[in-house]
Every structure is written in structure tokens, then in C-alpha cells.
Amino acid sequence: MFKAIVSASTLRDALDSVSVLVDECKVRLNEDGLSIRAVDPANVGMVDLSLDAAAFESYEADGGVIGVNLARLEDIAGMGNAGDLVHLELDEETRKLHIRIDGLSYTLALIDPDSIRQEPDIPDLDLPAEIVVEGNQLDRGITAADMVSDHIDLRVDEGAETFHIEAEGDTDDVDFEMGPGDLIHLEAGPADSLFSLDYLKDMNKAIPGDAEVTVELGEEFPVKLHYEFAEGLGQVTFMLAPRIQSE
Amino acid sequence: MGNADLRQLAALSEVDWDEVAGSVVAVDAHNWLYRYLTTTVKWTNDAVYTTAAGEEVANLVGVVQGLPKFFEHDLTPVFVFDGGVTELKDDEVAARREQREQAAERLAAAEERGDAVEAARLEARTQRLTDVILETTRDLLAHLDVPVVDAPAEGEAQAAYMARRGDVDYAGSEDYDALLFGAPYTLRQLTSEGRPELMDLDATFDRHDISWEGLIDVAILCGTDFNPGVDGVGPKTALRAIADHGDLWAALDAEGWQVANADRVRNLFRDPPVTDDYAVDTDIDPDVAAARAYVTEQWEVEADEVERGFERIEDALVQTGLDRWT
């Protein structure tokens, strides 16, 4: 059983964070909200999302699992204005999701959850550095890095208490330094890891500009990017595996 | 050849790349190389892989195209090269050479007629693994730090042996012979699009309620790479004959069939020349820059032709997976 009403913008924010990594996913319809965990086919980027029942106008579920094609569902959610309410109802018998949005009815065929890639185990990470930064700032660093390279170095200078987003291109280099004045919070620790910009750019797309992003970082370790949406009732954690640094 | 017959006997299933990720596969190098050679030669202008001195190294293009598939799916290949050809296979080798020579004549004729399609098809068949091809393949694999093992004879037998000993997780070959050589698990379709096919030895035994020895006898009756089978005997008849009569000799006796060299073929599958003298270091640390220089500078392959492959190799080997931390 699943029946819920949610604003189009909240639904879109939730779907966007998953669709940057996978085309289809399992959605767990828990009693207290829905959750999604997915990893891209190469096992490099992972998303762990939860959306509390309180983020919905109304929410009833009893713990089922559905498989959805994310692009389809995003298209439908895109048919409404931000404030429009989306009505979702699962037909257990036909395994279809009935969606109503501003006079529009849509019946979405679901995917057999067993045919979708298994939900990944969450890596066990104890990362020494934590940086809290505004989404806009992160976006600025990533955009600049993308101009010169296809990978990006995230680093903390423990002595100077600064966070660096750096990229080295064939000819040009970028260093975006953020000190205590630019950051919401910094817990310095040994942290220096290299990441693929392809992935980070996609993750960044899903992060709202005004979100507070908690970046957890280590030395040649995956990075964790955590932020909230839907007024704190939605939680997203991205994890991205590093590239091996040469030399 | 008996390959179609063996396919009917083998327990095969498609598997997800996910299921085989993280494993080591001993690849029958000649078998693998041959497939990439034929496709490269078929689809690429020969100017791309011919040096000013006239040496053809299409294999280098093939290796650079073929390797990323392993790395992107987190599979470590160990390439097993054939040693001296076993005596029994001489006929087969001679026959292949003869086929190639015939094809070469037809190729010349097709070129003269301007029949490009026929010429392309024939050119693939006239490709052979020359000394240059084998040597440059080894050199390129060395630059990329991909492990290589030298078999005393059949690469496929050595790959199966390594899989049996548990030094690798799978044998890798398109040939169904890996089954007769006793590879517990063989991955096929490593050179094609899509998912690999798993050939399971124990499941094959169970399916036909047969032993390894019995399976070899059945294959000999149908025909293998090393012997022509009994005329008109396919897998069903052969299975029944071995089940009814017990083994190859009894079956031949009872049915009045003849198979030349049957005892030698049987021994070859049961106890092929293999070696324990190999070391497999699966910690691959490639020098992609050196490999690139080797292919494009030393052997004058057009850089554009291999750039994408090298990029894929680089990306696959420097990008870690999250599973390393779970």
C-alpha cells in the first residue's frame, strides 16, 4: 500500500539526486518515509537518500519496494509548477503507479525491483576532515576546475585551516581557496583526494545552491557530500570513490 | 571441429559483469588475439597499422581495444600464450594454413574484381599470428604490466589447469575445449558486446550425469579440435553410447566405430602438458605513456586509432570503486 501527496519541487529535488547516478532504482516505501540507495554501474558514485513522511502533504505506506524508471518519473514531475501537488498511488495488482498532477493523470509502469541492481552496502568510512560549505561555493570551485581538467583535487591545509578545490590541466591550473571566513565550518585533518569531475559535476547539479553541504574527506579516500532538502526533511548523502594519484 | 556439439553439451548461462567483478581470468591469448585481429583487419584501413617498413601490427590496435573491457569490469586478465604446437594438432594447423593459403588466392582474385566485401571477409581469414604479432603483443602487455604465462603447449590447457588449481577464478576462451581440459568455470564472450557467458563444468557433469572422463569420451566420439569424430554421431548418440557401454573403448567396440588416435586425444585432454612454473602478479601498475609511445611511435600506429582505448585503460585503472571500502 502506498498513497502520498507531495509538492512537485520536493519530488524533483529527490529524484534529481538519484538520476545523476542511475537510470532506474528501487524506492523503499517505509512507514516513516521513503528511501533510495543506489550506486552507478561502475561502483564509483553512490547516493543514499531519505525523505521523511513529514515532507509530504500526506503519506501512507507499509514498507513495500517499487522499481522506477527515473527519467520517466522526472518527466512527469516536471509537468507541474514548483508548488503543484503530485498525487501518487500504487496499484498493487497491476504494479503501476498512478500519478495525478494539476488535472493530468499518468499511469507509470513499474520495473520489477528484482531486475534492478542490488542496493549497495554503505562504505565504512571514518574521515578525518569535515568542511561545511555553501552549495554555491562548491559549484564555483567545480565549475572553475572543469575549465582546465577532468579531475579535481579536494584538499585541506591543516596549518592554514583552509579548504582547497584544485585542478591541474595540461596547460592551465586552478586553485580555489576557502578560509574560515568563506566556510560555514572546518574541522581540519589530513585530507587530500583526487576525484573524477564527470561524477562530481553530476552530483553538484543536484545540490541546491543555498544548501549547506557537509564535505567529509580523507587521504585517498572516498568523499562524502551530505546536504538536506525539503526544509531539512529530506537527506542526501553522496559518496564518490577517489582516483589513484600518480607519483 | 565439434564446437557446436560441445556447445550443446555445456552448461552455459549469461552472467552479470557485477558477479565476476574482482576476479582473475586466465585468457587463452591466441584465441583472444585472433578475434581482435580479425575484427581490426575487417574494419580498419590497413594503412593505420602498417609501418613504413611494411610490418602489419593490427594486433596492437586489437589489444588496446580489447583490454579496457577487462579493466572496466574490474577483471584482471592473465594472458596464457601457446607454446610449441602439440603434434596432434599439426593436422589442424596444416589445414588452417592451407585454408589461409586458399583464401589468400581468392582474396587476390576478389581484389582484382574490386569486390571489397568478399576481400574483407577473406582478409580476416588470411590473418595469422606472425612472430611480429606475438612479440609486439607481449611487449605491449609488458608495458601495461598485464601478467603473461607461457604454456608448454596449448594455452587453453594451461589456462584450465590454472583455474583448476585455484590460481585464477576463471579460464577465458571462446573455445569449448576449456571444458574438456577441465576448467571448473570458463568465461566466454569476453571479446563481444554484452554480458559474458559462464560455462560451468560441474553443472555440465550433473546435467548429463557423467564424469570428466566420460565427457572427454563423448567429445572424442563427436569430434574435437584434435580428431574427426565418428560420422553421424552427435552429442545425443555419443552420450547414450558412453552411458550404455561405460567408456570410449567399449563404445567403439560395441558399435563398430573407429576413431584414429583416440587414446592420444584422450590423454591430451586428461593430462595435457602444463607447467607449475608461473607466477601471477595481479597488482597491475601500467605505464600507459610508455605503452602509447610503443604503439604510436615505435610501431607507427595512427594515434587517433588507439587514443580512446588508452583513455579507457587509464580511466579504468586510476578510478577506484567504492566496494574497496565495504
Side-chain angles (χ1 to χ4, degrees):
Chain A
M1 190 264 292
F2 172 64
K3 198 172 171 184
I5 302 172
V6 64
S7 79
S9 61
T10 297
L11 183 61
R12 283 203 293 261
D13 285 347
L15 298 174
D16 284 351
S17 67
V18 185
S19 66
V20 294
L21 286 174
V22 291
D23 299 330
E24 33 188 63
C25 71
K26 288 183 206 181
V27 182
R28 297 201 169 268
L29 309 166
N30 309 316
E31 281 173 30
D32 57 352
L34 57 81
S35 65
I36 299 172
R37 194 190 295 167
V39 66
D40 83 296
N43 233 331
V44 175
M46 184 184 298
V47 60
D48 187 22
L49 171 142
S50 64
L51 187 56
D52 198 284
F56 294 76
E57 300 295 315
S58 76
Y59 183 92
E60 286 173 74
D62 58 3
V65 180
I66 55 172
V68 298
N69 178 320
L70 283 162
R72 292 258 187 84
L73 195 51
E74 274 186 310
D75 285 348
I76 304 161
M79 295 295 290
N81 294 313
D84 283 351
L85 292 179
V86 185
H87 296 244
L88 305 162
E89 187 168 0
L90 173 67
D91 184 334
E92 305 264 8
E93 207 124 294
T94 58
R95 295 309 288 172
K96 286 186 184 194
L97 190 65
H98 294 294
I99 305 163
R100 278 187 297 121
I101 178 167
D102 194 19
L104 181 74
S105 291
Y106 194 106
T107 306
L108 177 74
L110 296 170
I111 304 168
D112 176 6
D114 290 339
S115 74
I116 295 176
R117 206 161 178 262
Q118 241 189 341
E119 290 159 299
D121 293 332
I122 295 202
D124 186 15
L125 303 170
D126 184 14
L127 299 162
E130 187 179 293
I131 305 106
V132 184
V133 62
E134 207 174 273
N136 282 322
Q137 292 282 76
L138 198 61
D139 179 58
R140 200 158 163 252
I142 290 170
T143 305
D146 189 38
M147 293 172 189
V148 302
S149 182
D150 60 3
H151 46 268
I152 187 170
D153 189 16
L154 302 182
R155 182 172 73 80
V156 170
D157 184 331
E158 287 182 85
E161 301 231 316
T162 49
F163 173 52
H164 295 255
I165 299 179
E166 295 170 336
E168 251 179 70
D170 291 335
T171 54
D172 305 348
D173 298 343
V174 162
D175 178 6
F176 183 41
E177 178 185 298
M178 282 167 273
D182 311 301
L183 299 169
I184 298 162
H185 173 76
L186 174 78
E187 202 176 299
D192 186 351
S193 299
L194 195 65
F195 301 97
S196 155
L197 259 175
D198 279 348
Y199 281 92
L200 207 54
K201 260 178 4 197
D202 285 345
M203 291 175 173
N204 178 50
K205 265 186 230 157
I207 300 176
D210 58 0
E212 283 188 9
V213 185
T214 304
V215 182
E216 289 179 55
L217 205 58
E219 281 184 316
E220 302 225 12
F221 260 77
V223 63
K224 267 191 188 180
L225 302 168
H226 177 84
Y227 67 93
E228 295 178 346
F229 66 104
E231 286 154 11
L233 296 167
Q235 314 264 337
V236 173
T237 304
F238 284 123
M239 270 157 278
L240 176 60
R243 288 166 60 104
I244 294 163
Q245 312 214 31
S246 44
E247 280 112 29
Chain B
M1 289 283 286
N3 260 347
D5 291 340
L6 270 175
R7 179 166 181 91
Q8 282 184 46
L9 292 168
L12 298 161
S13 58
E14 265 196 10
V15 289
D16 273 331
W17 287 106
D18 281 358
E19 289 171 49
V20 298
S23 52
V24 180
V25 52
V27 180
D28 176 354
H30 287 228
N31 180 282
W32 182 84
L33 201 51
Y34 207 84
R35 279 175 188 260
Y36 279 103
L37 260 182
T38 43
T39 49
T40 302
V41 168
K42 200 164 168 186
W43 302 111
T44 317
N45 181 344
D46 60 2
V48 164
Y49 53 78
T50 308
T51 66
E55 291 281 15
E56 292 194 2
V57 284
N59 59 303
L60 296 180
V61 179
V63 171
V64 175
Q65 279 170 355
L67 281 177
K69 188 151 185 171
F70 292 104
F71 300 143
E72 284 168 357
H73 294 109
D74 196 17
L75 270 180
T76 306
V78 176
F79 285 93
V80 185
F81 283 82
D82 284 358
V85 177
T86 50
E87 277 171 55
L88 284 171
K89 216 166 181 172
D90 281 355
D91 279 355
E92 177 93 9
V93 169
R96 277 189 198 155
R97 190 178 298 132
E98 200 172 300
Q99 274 176 2
R100 277 197 300 262
E101 280 162 8
Q102 281 173 7
E105 286 170 28
R106 286 167 56 200
L107 172 61
E111 276 171 348
E112 219 170 86
R113 285 203 306 281
D115 183 347
V117 176
E118 177 73 356
R121 289 179 57 207
L122 290 164
E123 194 161 9
R125 273 187 255 165
T126 54
Q127 267 299 324
R128 59 192 84 179
L129 301 183
T130 61
D131 289 347
V132 171
I133 284 175
L134 291 174
E135 281 316 303
T136 54
T137 299
R138 283 165 182 272
D139 286 349
L140 177 55
L141 291 175
H143 285 304
L144 292 171
D145 199 30
V146 175
V148 162
V149 169
D150 282 303
E154 301 286 337
E156 199 164 32
Q158 179 70 26
Y161 177 68
M162 290 161 65
R164 268 205 334 266
R165 289 183 72 190
D167 289 334
V168 298
D169 303 295
Y170 302 96
S173 178
E174 297 307 294
D175 235 323
Y176 298 93
D177 276 4
L179 203 59
L180 302 181
F181 283 119
Y185 298 105
T186 304
L187 289 180
R188 302 188 64 258
Q189 295 175 4
L190 291 172
T191 58
S192 15
E193 295 283 319
R195 303 194 299 169
E197 191 174 60
L198 178 71
M199 183 157 69
D200 183 330
L201 186 66
D202 273 337
T204 305
F205 295 158
D206 289 348
R207 175 181 296 180
H208 306 294
D209 188 21
I210 204 168
S211 63
W212 182 17
E213 290 76 11
L215 184 70
I216 292 171
D217 287 355
V218 167
I220 290 172
L221 288 175
C222 300
T224 71
D225 269 1
F226 304 97
N227 73 285
V230 178
D231 253 357
V233 172
K236 275 188 190 154
T237 314
L239 275 168
R240 202 165 45 235
I242 298 300
D244 287 352
H245 306 298
D247 78 348
L248 182 63
W249 309 128
L252 291 175
D253 250 9
E255 305 285 347
W257 293 333
Q258 302 240 319
V259 174
N261 287 332
D263 53 342
R264 289 170 62 204
V265 177
R266 201 186 204 204
N267 269 338
L268 182 66
F269 284 122
R270 287 183 176 195
D271 187 23
V274 289
T275 178
D276 292 343
D277 186 19
Y278 59 85
V280 175
D281 176 8
T282 55
D283 192 9
I284 296 184
D285 179 19
D287 187 341
V288 177
R292 209 182 247 131
Y294 180 78
V295 173
T296 61
E297 287 165 30
Q298 195 170 334
W299 288 94
E300 305 168 25
V301 173
E302 278 181 25
D304 285 355
E305 206 61 39
V306 286
E307 189 45 38
R308 179 76 194 116
F310 277 126
E311 270 174 24
R312 286 174 64 195
I313 292 172
E314 223 164 16
D315 283 351
L317 291 176
V318 299
Q319 176 63 61
T320 62
L322 284 168
D323 45 349
R324 186 190 279 203
W325 286 274
T326 49

